[in-house]
Amino acid sequence: KEELITLEYHDKLNPDFWVGHELKPEVREKMLEIGKEWAVWAKIPDNAIKDIVFVGGNANYNYTNRSDVDIHLLVDTNEIADCPDFIEDYFDDKKDLWALRHDIKIYGHPVEIYAQDEDNNYPMGQGVFSLIKNEWLAEPVNQNLDLNKIPDSNKATELKQGIESMLSQNVDDKVVKHFKDKLKNMRSQSIAAEGEFGRDNLIFKELRNLGYLERMNNYIYSQQDKRLSL
C-alpha cells in the first residue's frame, strides 16, 4: 500500500505563525496589509469586505513546508457589481494575475490571496481565523490523524500513472482538461461528504504537491498555443 509522501499532520499549529492558538501580532498585521492592498488592486470597495480570514493548512494541523499562506477576503458580492455570473471568474483571474506579478512570502511560505462570497461555507474541520476580529471563527480540532492510513491510497498511484500516460502520448489538450476537471470534481465531492480529510481530497493534495496539476496546466497551455499559432 502506497504512502502519501507529501502530506503531514502535526500535534500543534505551525510555530512560524502561532503561539499556541494565538496568531503572532506581526503575522496578523502583515496579512491584513496584504489583504487590503490586494483589495485596492482588485478594485473591491471597502464596504463590500466583510472580513479577511486566514485558512488552509497553516491555519490547521495539516501543514507542510509546501503549504501556502491562504488569505481570503469575504465579500458581499452585491456591493461589487451587478454581474453574478462573472464575479467568481473575476476573482479567479485577479488571484492568478496577482500571483504572476508578485512573489510574497511570510516566513518563507508563499502567500495566496483570494476573494469569495461571504456566504460560501468552508469544509468541515477546517480552521478559519478572522484577521480583522483577531479571533477564530472556526477553531481547528486536532484529530490525531495518520494521513497514510487511508483506504485505498493506491488510487493515488493509479492517477499518477494515468497523468504520466496522457502527457507522454501527446493527447489532445481537451482530454487532459477533462481529466483535470474530473480530479477537481472528485475533490469537491470528497470535501462535501467527508470534510477536509476525506480520502480523495488528500489524494488531490498529494497530486498537487508533487506538481502533477501544474504539469497538466502547462501541457494544456502549450497545446493550445500550438493549435492557435500559424
Side-chain angles (χ1 to χ4, degrees), residues 21 100 121 137 162 182 224:
H21 275 219
L100 287 171
N121 294 321
L137 302 180
K182 284 180 65 176
Q224 288 174 340

Side-chain angles (χ1 to χ4, degrees), residues 3-12 14-15 57-58 60-67 109 142 144-148 196-197 202 205-206 209:
E3 291 188 351
L4 302 184
I5 58 175
T6 71
L7 304 182
E8 300 174 18
Y9 199 84
H10 304 269
D11 59 4
K12 62 181 179 180
N14 191 336
N58 279 314
N60 289 275
Y61 294 98
N62 58 316
Y63 58 89
T64 74
N65 58 8
R66 300 176 177 85
S67 296
H109 297 267
N142 194 319
N144 298 311
L145 295 176
D146 182 345
L147 296 182
N148 290 314
E196 179 72 8
F197 303 108
L202 297 179
K205 288 186 174 185
E206 170 88 344
N209 291 346

Side-chain angles (χ1 to χ4, degrees), residues 156-170:
T157 297
E158 296 170 5
L159 292 172
K160 293 174 195 174
Q161 291 172 345
I163 294 168
E164 294 286 2
S165 178
M166 282 190 302
L167 301 186
S168 66
Q169 293 181 35
N170 201 35

